[in-house]
Amino acid sequence: MAFPEHRPRRLRRTPALRALARETRLHPGDLIDALFVVEGSGVREPIASMPGVLRLSVDQLADEAKRCHDLGLGGVVLFGIPLHKDALGTSGYDPEGVVARAIRAMKRAAPDFVVIADICLCEYTDHGHCGVYENGAVLNDETLPLLARAAVVAAEAGADVVAPSDMMDGRVAAIRSALDEARLFETPILSYAAKYASAFYGPFREAAESAPKSGDRRGYQMDAGNGREALREIATDIEEGADMVMVKPAMPCLDVISQARARFEVPLFAYQVSGEYSMLQAAIERGWLEAPRVVDESLLAIRRAGADRIVSYFAKDFARRYRG
Ligand code: PBG
């Protein structure tokens, strides 16, 4: 059917008709906020590179969990920023470390709200790499037991989900078997399966003080030129026991999200990372882009590409404006 019988504008005439015909919708429950926890109490520290995002101490985080729950968000993913960093990232798997205490406080404040623990070493190591670092290289197999310990500690503290973001080979299997050995059979793994070595993580590294002191992450995170490899990474992680998978970053990877959606059945997450957030915020501040429309469009595009759930620093902003 062609013009004049076919007139696509018929379905665009009024807001109500557009809503009726809309294929993709976004609900606060589709969104996961990302939170940064620091030592101390009463701390609400702005992050210069991420306007509107704060580093919070454990006490403040408990209230934040309640707020996020009341807003109807799907959950939060938690990043720890410890005072003490060392070569092996021991604060990352210390049962009394800042992350474990934060998880306990959040679950106490909002028991029904989903807390996802990011599992990686880069926020906890003094060299800033995601694993054991020797002679300019991150050692894969030596890193696995440390990640597994971090996952067990987070799950024992009450994390509903553990989410490895380190990109070591074999880490999902290592974490699954360590969880099972600790009888944490029911703790699901959300794997950052397709995580690119992206320049869009820049603001996060300032927020988490986790930039590598030397070198970069291209020896373990994915090359931006590769799409098919992302599908292999996801397939491998599912075989190793991942219950859910994530693609990261989001807007630069809509092709990967769309292909992963078509190929895999597990819940698919995408991470709208710090650089995507800050880029939009900077343009909004200058009046170059119009909020909140551009925010909603960015989220909807990621959803339309096929992501079931989106980790986003805009999660609360979207939920506050949501009117059903
Ligand atoms: C930890 C981790 C990073 C991000 C999430 N988990 C940083 C990195 O890999 O350098 C980035 C998140 C963001 O940019 O918002 N490995």
Side-chain angles (χ1 to χ4, degrees):
M1 205 174 30
F3 181 81
E5 289 81 15
H6 182 48
R7 290 180 181 268
R9 287 184 53 183
R10 284 183 197 124
L11 294 180
R12 299 177 194 149
R13 195 172 51 84
T14 68
L17 280 171
R18 290 196 291 274
L20 184 72
R22 189 165 300 130
E23 298 170 29
T24 310
R25 290 169 197 260
L26 203 58
H27 182 269
D30 301 331
L31 300 178
I32 317 294
D33 199 9
L35 301 175
F36 299 96
V37 58
V38 291
E39 297 283 1
S41 78
V43 182
R44 302 182 64 80
E45 188 183 4
I47 299 164
S49 58
M50 300 178 70
V53 180
L54 303 169
R55 296 192 193 98
L56 303 174
S57 51
V58 171
D59 55 313
Q60 299 292 310
L61 213 61
D63 295 337
E64 190 72 6
K66 269 188 265 173
R67 263 194 296 277
C68 290
H69 192 204
D70 292 343
L71 282 168
L73 297 186
V76 291
V77 58
L78 189 60
F79 297 95
I81 308 163
L83 278 181
H84 169 76
K85 301 196 184 209
D86 57 30
L88 294 178
T90 53
S91 302
Y93 37 91
D94 175 358
E96 290 309 314
V98 73
V99 182
R101 278 186 281 124
I103 294 168
R104 286 196 290 269
M106 292 172 85
K107 291 303 294 182
R108 222 177 294 127
D112 299 330
F113 188 56
V114 170
V115 174
I116 303 171
D118 181 89
I119 303 297
C120 193
L121 298 185
C122 66
E123 302 109 83
Y124 311 99
T125 53
D126 49 15
H127 45 72
H129 280 284
C130 301
V132 179
Y133 188 64
E134 265 172 36
N135 303 321
V138 173
L139 305 182
N140 191 86
D141 298 16
E142 287 77 352
T143 300
L144 299 181
L146 306 183
L147 295 167
R149 245 162 94 184
V152 169
V153 165
E156 276 173 348
D160 297 283
V161 179
V162 292
S165 67
D166 52 280
M167 288 302 275
M168 297 303 117
D169 294 332
R171 92 273 207 204
V172 173
I175 288 172
R176 184 71 268 157
S177 73
L179 289 171
D180 289 352
E181 218 161 285
R183 305 196 63 77
L184 295 159
F185 308 110
E186 310 231 66
T187 302
I189 299 174
L190 162 61
S191 153
Y192 290 66
K195 174 169 173 179
Y196 286 84
S198 171
F200 285 101
Y201 307 153
F204 173 95
R205 291 182 189 168
E206 185 185 322
E209 296 161 1
S210 67
K213 298 273 179 313
S214 63
D216 56 39
R217 304 209 203 289
R218 286 181 237 203
Y220 42 105
Q221 299 179 348
M222 281 185 53
D223 190 280
N226 296 352
R228 293 190 301 272
E229 188 192 6
L231 303 177
R232 281 196 67 190
E233 281 278 9
I234 295 172
T236 306
D237 282 8
I238 293 174
E239 267 166 44
E240 286 184 25
D243 302 279
M244 306 186 280
V245 295
M246 180 128 76
V247 174
K248 178 183 171 193
M251 225 153 52
C253 298
L254 297 179
D255 58 327
V256 176
I257 294 171
S258 152
Q259 291 180 47
R261 168 72 296 148
R263 181 118 27 135
F264 303 103
E265 294 81 22
V266 300
L268 179 65
F269 285 58
Y271 197 139
Q272 184 182 49
V273 300
S274 56
E276 298 178 70
Y277 172 83
S278 298
M279 181 166 73
L280 292 176
Q281 287 292 49
I284 291 165
E285 270 176 24
R286 291 186 171 208
W288 290 351
L289 291 174
E290 181 197 331
R293 277 188 59 192
V294 70
V295 171
D296 293 355
E297 184 179 333
S298 73
L299 293 168
L300 198 62
I302 297 164
R303 185 90 179 77
R304 191 187 67 232
D308 299 306
R309 301 290 178 266
I310 307 170
V311 179
S312 172
Y313 302 96
F314 288 118
K316 285 192 292 276
D317 169 58
F318 177 86
R320 277 189 210 108
R321 290 185 280 105
Y322 186 72
R323 291 287 170 274

